[in-house]
Amino acid sequence: MKTSKKFLSLSIVTILAMLLLAACGSGGSGGNADSGKNALDTIKENDKIVFGVKNDTRLFGLKNPSSGEIEGFDIDISKAIAKEILGDENKAEFKEVTSKTRIPLLNKGDIDAVVATMTITEERKKEVDFSDVYFDAGQSLLVKKDSPIKGIEDLDNSKTVLAVKGSTSSQNIRKEAPDAKVNEFENYSEAFSALKAGQGDALTTDDAILYGMADEDPSFHLVGKTFSEEPYGIAVKKGNSELVDAINETLKKLKDNGEYDKIKNKWIKEEPAS
Ligand code: GLU
């Protein structure tokens, strides 16, 4: 009798502990390499896929304040992936990332994949795995329409350029305009607010992102030629090859059946300058 009581309470404790663990696992499915299951199997088992997306980047991932929904090219691509892997685009869940937080959140297991204007670079490949390229951008400059700055060559030591932490843009600009002062912000909405407030002479990032800002406030425009190549990829935790394969298959299907062009034309009106 004593033993069975002990057994019963032990079982209750075990069940409670298991429930607690299940409740904690509300993030991505990618952080479970120890269980022997691959991330794709876990995503299928959980019947949801968690994407890290931007919330403040018009055209790619922007929260609509009236509906609370996040909208943009990266969001539609994520939904198409969820539809392909889980049969329903509503099984895509979204968590906000910034340029600086996207790799740490992925590697912590909070998200399964990053679809957030993220350039494939050799440096990043050391930390995460990437899908095939799904969009081609290039770095450019956004200035007030009456600005004397016409291109990267005008960024001398009297100019301040605004950029975002953790972006390739912030690294590239130091090489391309070594004399200019660079001010870094947490995200693109902060950087654009600073530009509007006159805290800098130019904002630098991918042309596709800058088009979204110029669209929002037509007193700004892009100047000069693009000065880098920014091929966007979808990042997953290192070693999740089954998930990368499933994402690449989806991208290929979307391109073959015309859905990719439909999504692109819905959001991207301007062709990146060459
Ligand atoms: N595509 C560039 C990058 O991955 C700039 C855009 C961004 O900050 O997300 O860093």
Side-chain angles (χ1 to χ4, degrees):
M1 189 63 189
K2 231 181 180 177
T3 337
S4 71
K5 248 190 190 166
K6 229 185 202 170
F7 178 72
L8 195 70
S9 52
L10 205 69
S11 307
I12 290 169
V13 170
T14 314
I15 289 167
L16 282 175
M18 280 168 79
L19 283 174
L20 196 72
L21 272 177
C24 290
S26 58
S29 312
N32 62 344
D34 298 343
S35 70
K37 259 186 222 138
N38 74 56
L40 183 62
D41 286 344
T42 313
I43 285 165
K44 287 182 179 165
E45 213 170 271
N46 294 348
D47 209 21
K48 67 168 185 179
I49 175 161
V50 185
F51 293 100
V53 297
K54 295 284 180 74
N55 273 15
D56 71 338
T57 306
R58 204 174 160 91
L59 308 180
F60 285 87
L62 181 71
K63 196 166 206 160
N64 179 335
S66 50
S67 64
E69 298 281 317
I70 313 163
E71 297 164 351
F73 178 74
D74 281 341
I75 308 306
D76 286 354
I77 294 287
S78 304
K79 286 180 179 170
I81 293 168
K83 189 166 180 204
E84 184 64 25
I85 295 178
L86 300 171
D88 182 353
E89 65 169 43
N90 296 317
K91 290 181 178 169
E93 281 186 14
F94 298 107
K95 278 198 180 167
E96 181 176 7
V97 296
T98 64
S99 306
K100 192 180 80 178
T101 65
R102 57 195 161 192
I103 291 182
L105 288 177
L106 184 65
N107 285 336
K108 239 176 79 195
D110 283 11
I111 48 184
D112 295 311
V114 173
V115 191
T117 66
M118 188 171 182
T119 301
I120 302 170
T121 68
E122 290 308 314
E123 204 181 322
R124 288 174 179 164
K125 273 193 204 166
K126 290 179 194 150
E127 295 184 85
V128 296
D129 286 344
F130 281 104
S131 72
D132 295 336
V133 176
Y134 72 97
F135 186 78
D136 277 303
Q139 190 168 343
S140 189
L141 299 173
L142 185 78
V143 298
K144 261 254 174 276
K145 275 187 177 159
D146 59 5
S147 165
I149 298 169
K150 301 286 174 245
I152 190 90
E153 60 285 354
D154 295 324
L155 296 179
D156 56 25
N157 63 6
S158 70
K159 303 289 187 296
T160 298
V161 190
L162 312 178
V164 164
K165 289 178 190 170
S167 66
T168 50
S169 335
S170 147
Q171 289 183 336
N172 296 339
I173 196 68
R174 290 169 213 273
K175 284 184 221 132
E176 297 293 329
D179 296 330
K181 185 173 181 306
V182 180
N183 266 2
E184 287 192 323
F185 294 82
E186 292 301 320
N187 57 49
Y188 286 102
S189 71
E190 279 183 24
F192 192 31
S193 298
L195 182 71
K196 287 193 236 178
Q199 290 172 32
D201 302 290
L203 193 161
T204 191
T205 187
D206 302 336
D207 51 358
I209 297 175
L210 297 177
Y211 283 127
M213 294 176 183
D215 212 32
E216 184 189 321
D217 186 336
S219 64
F220 290 90
H221 70 168
L222 281 78
V223 287
K225 285 194 174 140
T226 53
F227 49 88
S228 76
E229 285 178 7
E230 307 291 332
Y232 290 0
I234 295 167
V236 305
K237 210 169 171 180
K238 251 198 169 322
N240 284 347
S241 52
E242 293 83 358
L243 182 54
V244 172
D245 290 347
I247 290 172
N248 283 340
E249 263 172 47
T250 305
L251 293 175
K252 191 179 175 320
K253 252 192 199 170
L254 294 176
K255 286 192 177 161
D256 290 347
N257 67 17
E259 196 57 34
Y260 175 87
D261 283 339
K262 262 194 222 159
I263 296 175
K264 193 171 162 192
N265 294 337
K266 177 174 159 196
W267 296 105
I268 316 293
K269 305 280 184 253
E270 325 259 353
E271 270 302 308
S274 54

